[in-house]
């Protein structure tokens, strides 16, 4: 790849560092799309022993690139994203991928199609971990950053995507326990100091 093109790609990818997500960090600032994607890849690495049949290289690529369209559109929270938003994000991403040189154009076209189909273990695992990462991040953030609808969403989001794996179901149960604990602590009467 020519250095000029490499730098153009890195420049576009840098937007993921600049684009904030709906989620907040434990330090009280908005999380970036890049931070979410990085931790999603880290999660994939640390569950590899639970999914030895998964192609880890492919899974890591999916995790790192799954939100690349947001380098063009910014992040729209899942509970606000419309089908039109989805189509727009997919279209700008497909146009960007088409302009990449071989072998990247073909590899990424196939990767994004596989992710969209959700038929392979890697694609389903990426999708499930993506949902879990968002839930974990919400549990780590101060509850004052939660919207009213997130109290219920925190306990239902990702249930369908994690259903295929006993391990992911157990992980979801643990995340839900953390969510319930956080909600109960917030609802507990505060003692006067």
């Amino acid at each position: 790849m020519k250095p000029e093109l490499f730098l153009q790609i890195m420049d576009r990818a840098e937007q993921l560092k600049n684009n904030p997500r709906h989620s907040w960090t434990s330090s009280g600032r908005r999380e970036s799309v890049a931070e979410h994607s990085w931790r999603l890849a880290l999660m994939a690495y640390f569950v590899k022993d639970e999914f030895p049949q998964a192609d880890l290289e492919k899974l890591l690529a999916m995790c790192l690139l799954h939100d690349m369209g947001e380098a063009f559109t910014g992040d729209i929270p899942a509970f606000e994203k419309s089908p039109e938003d989805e189509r727009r994000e997919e279209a700008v991403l497909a146009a960007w991928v088409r302009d990449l040189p071989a072998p990247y154009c073909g590899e990424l076209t196939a990767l994004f199609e596989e992710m969209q189909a959700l038929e392979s273990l890697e694609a389903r695992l990426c999708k499930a971990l993506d949902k879990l990462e968002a839930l974990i991040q919400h549990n780590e953030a101060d509850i004052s950053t939660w919207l009213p609808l997130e109290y219920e969403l925190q306990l239902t989001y990702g249930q369908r995507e994690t259903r295929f794996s006993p391990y992911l179901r157990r992980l979801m149960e643990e995340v839900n326990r953390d969510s319930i604990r956080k909600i109960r602590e917030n609802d507990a009467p505060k003692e006067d100091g």
Side-chain angles (χ1 to χ4, degrees), residues 67 70 73-87 89:
D67 276 340
E70 294 180 12
T73 64
D75 176 65
I76 300 171
F79 53 83
E80 292 179 358
K81 195 175 253 187
S82 70
E84 179 56 35
D85 293 328
E86 291 277 356
R87 285 190 292 277
E89 186 176 314

Side-chain angles (χ1 to χ4, degrees), residues 97-115:
V97 169
R98 273 193 306 272
D99 286 342
L100 294 174
Y104 303 101
C105 174
E107 289 174 4
L108 291 182
T109 296
L111 188 76
F112 285 117
E113 286 174 358
E114 183 175 340
M115 290 167 66

